[in-house]
Amino acid sequence: MAMVPVPGGTFRMGSDDHYPEEAPVHRVTVGAFSVRSTSVTNRDYADFVDATGYLTVAERPLDPADFPGAPAENLVPGSLVFTMTQGPVDLRHISQWWTWTPGACWHRPEGLGSTIENRRDHPVVHVAFEDALAYAQWAGEDLPTEAEWEYAARAGADSTAFIWGQNAVPEGRYLANFWQGDFPWRNDEADGFAGTAPVGSYPPNALGLYEMAGNVWEWTADWYADGHPADAETACCVPADPRGPSVESSFDPGQPQFSIPRRVIKGGSFLCADNYCQRYRPAARRPQMIDTGMSHVGFRTVSRAVAEA
């Protein structure tokens, strides 16, 4: 798919009206760049693997020394796969719908026996951060910063909750792939899809970028911190092309047993539900451990050559 030019400018990043990690709203200046019009697809990733022989994190053997105390049956290549529950569950415990699945990877998205044969134009998933970065570097591109990603997603719409306006479903039209119904056990599929959708299934934003909301979360280059910096007091001090906080900020204080840094992912996914995670919005952001791919995390790439030329 085409790389879409994004002119530089200053915008209001974040939200004070939704989840605390999105606040505070603050001004940011971004230089010109180009961004891929869709998420990277299974077809694209297959081209990369065919050309390089690359093996993703989910396909590599596990070292028992890295997982002390883990059952031997779990020490096999695999990834986390979403599994719909039989009924309502306690939404505080994500282990009820995420299942470690041996053999799950980008070309076997539900594990052994599954295939992408009929999903060549769907976003690639089960890619850890280094898997996404490896593709970007092979393509002569990069992963976007969080500011670049949000600026491109908003496409000039700084003051609206959603990319397309203030209402999630304007006039009853579904403009993104997200969960309708009671997560994680009942999906009404009013948007037309139970899982990922082929790229380009929904209208683009004002820049011509598809699925900047819903479908799959997308990796960014920034380390995660639980919140944004304060807005600059004067226009002269507005940050330009920020690259996020330090890696030290990204470790999860609630899980000190996991010394794995986290990057920011953006955009929400087909699993975002209003009763659990209304994050199919441009300001939405979540942390993702860099070694972990899942069945709702993908990426798109950027090029800054336009700004450097």
Side-chain angles (χ1 to χ4, degrees):
M1 299 295 287
M3 297 292 285
V4 175
V6 180
T10 299
F11 76 112
R12 290 168 56 81
M13 183 175 178
S15 171
D16 294 326
D17 301 323
H18 296 92
Y19 298 98
E21 70 272 8
E22 301 170 17
V25 172
H26 61 294
R27 290 166 294 167
V28 172
T29 297
V30 174
F33 63 101
S34 294
V35 60
R36 186 185 165 94
S37 62
T38 74
S39 304
V40 171
T41 66
N42 288 317
R43 186 188 309 278
D44 301 322
Y45 210 78
D47 289 344
F48 160 61
V49 170
D50 289 345
T52 64
Y54 184 83
L55 201 66
T56 61
V57 170
E59 299 171 276
R60 301 172 196 168
L62 302 183
D63 184 348
D66 294 334
F67 303 92
E73 62 271 19
N74 289 352
L75 295 176
V76 295
S79 189
L80 288 166
V81 175
F82 171 74
T83 305
M84 189 179 293
T85 63
Q86 295 298 310
V89 295
D90 187 336
L91 295 178
R92 294 174 297 178
H93 302 295
I94 66 173
S95 61
Q96 296 180 95
W97 57 85
W98 284 110
T99 304
W100 173 259
T101 305
C105 62
W106 73 271
H107 57 92
R108 294 191 298 261
E110 286 78 50
L112 298 174
S114 64
T115 179
I116 58 169
E117 191 58 37
N118 295 321
R119 286 180 270 185
R120 295 283 177 177
D121 294 321
H122 287 234
V124 66
V125 293
H126 294 299
V127 283
F129 179 80
E130 66 182 86
D131 303 329
L133 184 61
Y135 174 94
Q137 292 175 338
W138 171 76
E141 296 160 3
D142 202 353
L143 297 178
T145 65
E146 181 179 4
E148 286 172 336
W149 195 101
E150 186 168 333
Y151 179 67
R154 290 185 178 279
D158 279 12
S159 60
T160 60
F162 299 94
I163 288 169
W164 49 82
Q166 285 298 101
N167 298 318
V169 187
E171 299 178 348
R173 296 169 59 225
Y174 287 91
L175 301 179
N177 182 12
F178 60 95
W179 188 287
Q180 295 87 51
D182 297 309
F183 183 85
W185 65 279
R186 182 176 62 83
N187 188 350
D188 298 336
E189 301 178 33
D191 59 11
F193 297 94
T196 59
V199 299
S201 291
Y202 297 90
N205 71 1
L207 285 173
L209 307 178
Y210 293 88
E211 285 88 46
M212 295 297 281
N215 217 21
V216 295
W217 286 97
E218 296 184 351
W219 286 106
T220 75
D222 287 13
W223 297 113
Y224 180 81
D226 195 14
H228 287 306
D231 191 25
E233 293 185 1
T234 60
C236 69
C237 299
V238 171
D241 290 316
R243 296 291 172 135
S246 67
V247 62
E248 288 77 16
S249 73
S250 74
F251 294 98
D252 187 352
Q255 300 186 82
Q257 70 274 29
F258 296 120
S259 58
I260 301 170
R262 302 176 296 169
R263 303 268 185 177
V264 176
I265 54 175
K266 295 284 284 182
S269 80
F270 67 94
L271 296 178
C272 283
D274 289 351
N275 73 310
Y276 173 63
C277 170
Q278 195 189 55
R279 289 187 169 91
Y280 49 99
R281 296 173 292 100
R285 57 197 301 270
R286 295 295 296 159
Q288 181 76 4
M289 290 183 177
I290 61 171
D291 65 345
T292 305
M294 303 173 77
S295 53
H296 70 333
V297 178
F299 69 102
R300 76 180 67 210
T301 58
V302 299
S303 172
R304 300 183 187 95
V306 63
E308 298 165 359

